[in-house]
Structures are given as structure tokens and as C-alpha cells.
Amino acid sequence: MIYLDAGATTLEKPASVRRAVEKAVRTMSSPGRGSYPASHLAEETAFSCRTEAAELFGVSSPERVVFTENATHGLNIAIKSLVKPGDRVVISGYEHNAVTRPLCAIPRVERVIVDTPLFCPEQAVEEFQRAIGQGADVVICNHVSNVFGYRQPLEEIACLCREAGVPLIVDASQSAGVVPLHLEQLGAAFIAMPGHKGLYGPQGTGLLLCNCECNRPLMEGGTGSVSRQQTMPEELPDRLEAGTHNMPGIAGLLEGIRFVRSVGVEEIARHERCLARYAAQKLQELPGIRLWLAEKETEQTGVLSFVVEGRDCQELGELLAQRGVAVRAGLHCAPLAHRTAGTLETGTVRLSPSAFNTRNQIDQFVAELSDIIRENVRF
């Protein structure tokens, strides 16, 4: 299989990730729950993962790195920690359902959507400045669009938030491990990210980077600390980590982060971007193709969306799957992004390579798509 859906999950992982998961299943119990070796090893592994993440993402202390099940889990904690009923929340026009649905679940929240065109960062900054200036309780913005790979001007938006004294929540689902990200420099209140995408960890893992004293637990329960107390501990990370940890996942995530740090975030980004640009060049040779491609390479990651005139995107995705090519087709759980870009009615086909994909695989993908288009293959 040619796997080009790293924007959903990186399927091919470093071998060290698999080995770490297998070892954890055999050797680790729960951290902080015992004085025996299996518990100590789990505690050491969890702390090492927090430490590596803190160093990679510019977090002041490992305790401010909270383990979550995925980015959606982290975003729910962040949003429900900061957003109150009746608040005015400014969001970009490219947010995922992981942001929009939690906001819809909070009564009377006014959502102000900055729906500027794709690959127009200067206009986005101007519109965010206008929206924040009219009053905002919280700003939420993804770093990179999961549909179009559009790298939003996060540094400038964060500066506007700092100047206005408005807390910022960042969805780094498509940028963690692919684009440099520094919590302290941004001054964001929270940054949420998955472990199973650009960090090459297992599914069921994620991180929430906390730079905010308002941390509202989504769940209450055992933490292995202050057990006599019937409210959740005040200290991080225990306050936000109720119940047994996913130690196989955390052990794998630790090795995924080490892989990213050893290769280098910028090198991974360069590789993925080069593959996407190469794919765009090849796709433009086919009839009826429409691409969403930034003129400046720095404004887009390796995520590339396209449509074929007169063809249903999901049908194309299924036909490619039958030929051994994995891409994502449809609305990508981000109808707001498609509405902003004008693709809500059609969706798009999205390819998103990882550090392990090659040019040869891109050539094979384009050849299969070309056959489908030229031979007018249908179900």
C-alpha cells in the first residue's frame, strides 16, 4: 500500500516506537501507583516523555506537559477551561470540528469567524486584529489547516493576543513535529496536539501544553497523589490526568518524539513539502485537476488538496484505495474550512505524506489516478 494520509495518522512508525510499545506492555504498570520496579519504570518513562516534549516545544517545565488521548481531548480541556457561557470567541475560518463542536456545546457562545482567503496571511492578521479589537474573551486558531496545509500566521496572531491580554488556544494537530512551535515564545494559554501524527507515536496519545493557571479537569478520579482529598489536585499534570495512564502509548510517543528531534523538525517539513510540490507538478499534467497550492512554499506544509472536474471526491478516494493508494477524501471533519475555501459542496481529495514517503510512491499514486481519469473508471 502507498500510504499518503499522514494528516490523519502516520501509519509507518520508526521501529523504535514499535519496540517501545511492546516493551511497555511487558514491563510497565502504572506510574505513581507503586514502589516496585514496574511502576518506577513507568514513572521514569512518563517523565522522560514530558521532558523531551517540553524541550521540543519550549515549555518551561515537564509538569506542564499533560498526557491526553488525542488533540480533541486536549482541545476540550483547553476550551472548557477558558470559555464560559456568553463569551465572545474569535476563531479562524479553518478550524476543525474538534474546536467548533465544543464551542457549540457551551451555551450562548458568540463565535466570530475570521474567514479570510487561503494563503493570505497578511489579510488574516488584519482581520484577527479587527476582531480582537472589537472584544474577545478567547482566541482559538489552528497552526496549519488539516485540509489545505495552509500555515496560518500564528506568531503574529499570538502577538495580537498578548498585546490585548486575550488567552490563545492553539490547535497544533497538523504542525507538531512538522513546524517549529514554542509555547513560551507564543505566550499561548494552551497548545493541543496528537501523538499519532507528526510525532510518530501510537494512536490514543496526545499532549496538552499548559501555560495557564485555569485548568479545568474534564474528568475526576485517581491520580496516585493526595488521595485523601476528594477534589482533584491543584498541581499539574495530576490535575488533568485522572485514571490509569496509557503507558504503551506514552512509551511509543517518547520514541516518536526522539525520532522527530533526531531527524529535525525542519528537515521533516522540507521533505514533506518537496513531495507535495512534486505531486502538485505531476497532478497539473492531468486533465481536469484543480489544486490548492500556495505560491510561497513557507505558507504551506506537505498537505495538498485537489479535485477532479466532474468526479466525486469520495468515489476517487475509494477507487484509489482499491488500487492500493491511501488518501483522504471528503470534508476531513472540517466543514468550516471547506466553507471558507468554497469547497463545502464537493470536498477535496487530500494527500499528506510523511517522513517515510518517497518520490517513487508519488509517481505511482499519480499513475493510478491518471488511469482512473483517462479511462473514466467508475464503480
Side-chain angles (χ1 to χ4, degrees), residues 323-373:
R323 293 166 176 248
V325 180
V327 294
R328 179 82 182 272
L331 296 182
H332 315 91
C333 299
L336 177 59
H338 283 282
R339 192 191 76 181
T340 302
T343 55
L344 183 60
E345 296 304 314
T346 63
T348 62
V349 180
R350 182 191 73 184
L351 65 93
S352 49
S354 78
F356 293 102
N357 288 116
T358 65
R359 275 197 171 205
N360 182 56
Q361 290 177 323
I362 298 296
D363 286 335
Q364 293 177 62
F365 149 67
V366 174
E368 296 294 347
L369 180 63
S370 177
D371 285 347
I372 292 170
I373 294 172

Side-chain angles (χ1 to χ4, degrees), residues 64 82 139 141 154 158-159 161-162 166-171 181-192 209-212:
R64 290 189 171 271
L82 293 179
V139 172
C141 185
L154 182 62
C159 182
C161 291
R162 292 196 302 271
V166 178
L168 170 66
I169 298 171
V170 177
D171 177 1
L181 190 60
H182 196 288
L183 177 69
E184 295 294 320
Q185 289 178 3
L186 288 174
F190 294 100
I191 300 179
L209 313 181
C210 303
N211 193 28
C212 175

Side-chain angles (χ1 to χ4, degrees), residues 73-323:
H73 181 193
L75 286 166
N76 270 267
I77 293 173
I79 290 168
K80 290 166 186 177
S81 291
L82 293 179
V83 179
K84 304 182 299 298
D87 275 354
R88 188 173 192 266
V89 181
V90 175
I91 66 175
S92 85
Y94 298 94
E95 298 309 309
H96 190 277
N97 281 343
V99 166
T100 58
R101 284 179 172 174
L103 288 177
C104 285
I106 301 173
R108 304 187 308 282
V109 166
E110 179 187 359
R111 296 190 309 169
V112 179
I113 300 172
V114 178
D115 55 354
T116 52
L118 278 170
F119 312 124
C120 294
E122 295 84 1
Q123 186 176 344
V125 173
E126 291 175 3
E127 292 301 321
F128 265 101
Q129 184 173 30
R130 181 177 293 107
I132 293 169
Q134 293 172 350
D137 296 295
V138 179
V139 172
I140 308 174
C141 185
N142 63 35
H143 198 178
V144 172
S145 165
N146 73 306
V147 179
F148 302 102
Y150 171 34
R151 181 175 172 177
Q152 301 209 74
L154 182 62
E155 291 78 8
E156 292 85 350
I157 294 167
C159 182
L160 294 173
C161 291
R162 292 196 302 271
E163 290 173 353
V166 178
L168 170 66
I169 298 171
V170 177
D171 177 1
S173 293
Q174 299 295 326
S175 63
V178 178
V179 178
L181 190 60
H182 196 288
L183 177 69
E184 295 294 320
Q185 289 178 3
L186 288 174
F190 294 100
I191 300 179
M193 63 187 67
H196 64 100
K197 297 185 183 183
L199 296 181
Y200 293 88
Q203 291 99 320
T205 62
L207 299 172
L208 180 64
L209 313 181
C210 303
N211 193 28
C212 175
E213 298 309 316
C214 179
N215 302 298
R216 178 184 171 188
L218 279 184
M219 298 192 305
E220 290 78 24
T223 59
S225 59
V226 293
S227 294
R228 288 182 180 273
Q229 181 175 303
Q230 289 303 289
T231 56
M232 289 296 286
E234 293 296 324
E235 297 77 18
L236 291 173
D238 289 12
R239 181 163 182 77
L240 300 178
E241 292 182 359
T244 302
H245 290 77
N246 173 12
M247 285 314 304
I250 291 168
L253 178 56
L254 169 59
E255 292 304 320
I257 293 173
R258 285 173 172 167
F259 167 78
V260 169
R261 297 189 72 191
S262 67
V263 176
V265 170
E266 293 182 354
E267 176 58 26
I268 292 173
R270 185 200 64 77
H271 175 76
E272 293 181 3
R273 201 164 51 237
C274 285
L275 289 180
R277 293 272 158 174
Y278 180 67
Q281 174 188 335
K282 293 292 186 179
L283 286 169
Q284 286 170 332
E285 298 172 1
L286 303 183
I289 292 282
R290 182 187 177 195
L291 291 167
W292 281 265
L293 188 67
E295 290 186 12
K296 296 181 181 178
E297 288 190 11
T298 54
E299 292 178 358
Q300 190 171 17
T301 61
V303 175
L304 179 67
S305 263
F306 67 93
V307 297
V308 179
E309 185 179 352
R311 299 300 298 264
D312 180 79
C313 288
Q314 291 185 323
E315 181 189 43
L316 285 175
E318 291 174 11
L319 288 169
L320 285 166
Q322 290 178 3
R323 293 166 176 248

